[in-house]
Amino acid sequence: MSGPRAHELRAAMGPDPKLAHEVALTGSQSGNSRHWEDKPNAGYSGTPMWKIKAQLQEQQASAQTGPLKVPEGFKQVEKGKPMYYNDKRQVYWSGEDGKTYVYDAVMEKYSLLYDGKAFDMRIAVGSCFHEKAFQARHVLVKDLAKAAQAMRMSVEHLDRPCALYALYEGHRGKPGSGSANVCAEFCVKQLHQKLLPKLSAFRGFWEDARLEVAMRESFEELDTEFIEKHPGTTDGCCATVALVTGARVVIATLGDVAAVVCMRNGEAEEFAKPHVAPGLDSDDDDEEEDVPNGGGIQPGNSAPIQWTRSLGDSDFKKTDSAPKLLSTPEVKVLHLEPKHLGIAFVCRALYNAIGKSTAVSTVSKRCAPRARMAAGALVDAAVQWLGQVGDLGLGSIVVFFDRIEDGPAHKRARKEDPSQVRLRHILLKHRECKSTMDKVRNKQVKRSRGEAERLLRAVLEECQNDPGTKIFTQKCKDMSECQSCLKAGELVGDLSWVKPGKYGQSFDDVAFALSVGQLSDLVDTDQGVHIILRSA
């Protein structure tokens, strides 16, 4: 983070009144303002944050009982100055206050080492895409800290939960070329490669402005690299990306993928206006943003492309392009409050077909907290309204938030996780399953995954107000393709007592989080698509 972006961040965050020491860079840091990007594991010392925190507490305790003693492993940065550096842990220690710091190369100051706080907040996320949405791609990283560890980085200084969700809607791709959209495929694999090194580089507290700059830089670098690696490729895509850290959601939008914020009272609003050429957004009564060469439509001409910002579209990124598209996203930070129900990212064709934010809010309120059910219901509504889908990008990601608090979780007695749970389920197979034989009816299953999901979403709708599970029991008898549906009475669909690992991690994540009598969202395993009911 250097150059214009560093100046932008300094201006947004203002001067630092706590800066009391001159900063002396050590080793390879000297003379290199981007030293933290030199290595793929930059900022990762290998020391867990809990251990650093314990050492900090020990230092503070000793500071209260007598003169400050330089901790083991720290060497003085400059003679006569009170700052000491530990190369292994990559942190500084101040002899004046006994606190541990990291160096912020962007703001050119020392900042307190920050220990990420855990917020007692539940997140449910799900997605659904029509089988003909060839150019739409998405990413759901439910635990970004684990993803960072796999890349030898650490983001333990970010508040938890920490997650990343992205929806890329491609355009101008060629489905018959082997990859429906080269740009969308590239973004799915590469965005986190740009963002994670930035997030791991600074282990102080991340203010909103710093998060916004990191997201903008990641998009711009992603676009530059795609064009360099795919010269002559005209594929492009629009994108909406959310970075969740604690009770903050950083949302970046580029193009016209809708980002909708839903409230618990039924209200909803689109978080950012679509970046489209003048006249293409029916809700836009304001003048279009400043876009080089006038955006997508020139006076008297038809539109060569309808977006004013996108990833890819290399033929509209050249110096003399007309129109010329931007790759800088619009970035905002949403501070979650108890009034927030969730967010939804929706492909534009789907969004317009169902009635925009009003319909998204209605579906979200009806389906919460089953995010995957909500995402599928949005797609179903668009298919029903449009009749013929063609190659329209119909897809959505829905995220629900629950137990949002004003601050980090307070310490409480740890609740023991059950070692086993008693479950009933309805199973529908599809042609992608490990085994496509329905042994109950002795026939091969030929339906698609999408059709299996649609059938089970209808079951969930019927079971919404079924406290006695009568509907669940009947539907299990009629539909389930597991031999457990042949059991008698209230044991229809019974899997008996289930221990972790029997049906896979995705199954366990849902099943062991259910309370007794609660019905799950849709769950995928290699056996098919399930609805799970916890019976004991």
Side-chain angles (χ1 to χ4, degrees), residues 283-312:
D283 292 339
D284 188 6
D285 297 326
D286 301 324
E287 292 187 10
E288 174 63 19
E289 60 184 304
D290 292 333
V291 179
N293 300 325
I297 299 180
Q298 302 303 311
N301 296 325
S302 60
I305 191 167
Q306 72 182 53
W307 302 275
T308 58
R309 304 189 196 190
S310 72
L311 293 162

Side-chain angles (χ1 to χ4, degrees), residues 34-45 90 151-155 157 196-203:
R34 296 178 69 110
H35 63 84
W36 66 91
E37 295 180 5
D38 288 344
K39 301 178 181 178
N41 64 339
Y44 185 72
S45 66
Q90 299 178 26
M151 296 173 61
R152 292 286 298 162
M153 300 181 196
S154 173
V155 291
H157 48 277
L196 278 174
K198 299 179 189 300
L199 296 177
S200 66
F202 174 63
R203 292 184 290 163

Side-chain angles (χ1 to χ4, degrees), residues 369-480:
R370 299 183 180 93
R372 187 170 169 186
M373 178 185 174
L378 292 173
V379 175
D380 291 345
V383 171
Q384 185 176 4
W385 177 260
L386 291 169
Q388 289 217 328
V389 174
D391 61 352
L392 292 174
L394 302 184
S396 65
I397 295 173
V398 175
V399 184
F400 289 129
F401 304 106
D402 193 21
R403 294 204 316 222
I404 302 169
E405 298 182 348
D406 293 332
H410 299 291
K411 289 185 178 179
R412 58 172 63 88
R414 180 180 174 84
K415 183 180 179 181
E416 290 293 331
D417 294 325
S419 59
Q420 57 183 359
V421 291
R422 184 124 196 193
L423 305 172
R424 298 169 64 191
H425 79 145
I426 299 174
L427 169 69
L428 285 188
K429 295 174 177 285
H430 50 80
R431 54 178 175 251
E432 298 173 40
C433 290
K434 189 174 181 180
S435 169
T436 58
M437 174 60 72
D438 175 2
K439 293 182 180 180
V440 178
R441 297 160 189 86
N442 195 29
K443 65 177 184 179
Q444 290 287 338
V445 173
K446 298 180 180 180
R447 72 171 68 89
S448 67
R449 180 194 296 269
E451 180 60 23
E453 292 179 4
R454 280 192 290 274
L455 291 169
L456 288 182
R457 280 197 295 273
V459 173
L460 278 173
E461 285 276 7
E462 291 189 60
C463 292
Q464 288 279 65
N465 299 307
D466 180 32
T469 69
K470 291 182 180 179
I471 295 176
F472 177 89
T473 299
Q474 188 59 49
K475 290 295 181 182
C476 185
K477 287 180 181 179
D478 296 343
M479 300 175 61
S480 184

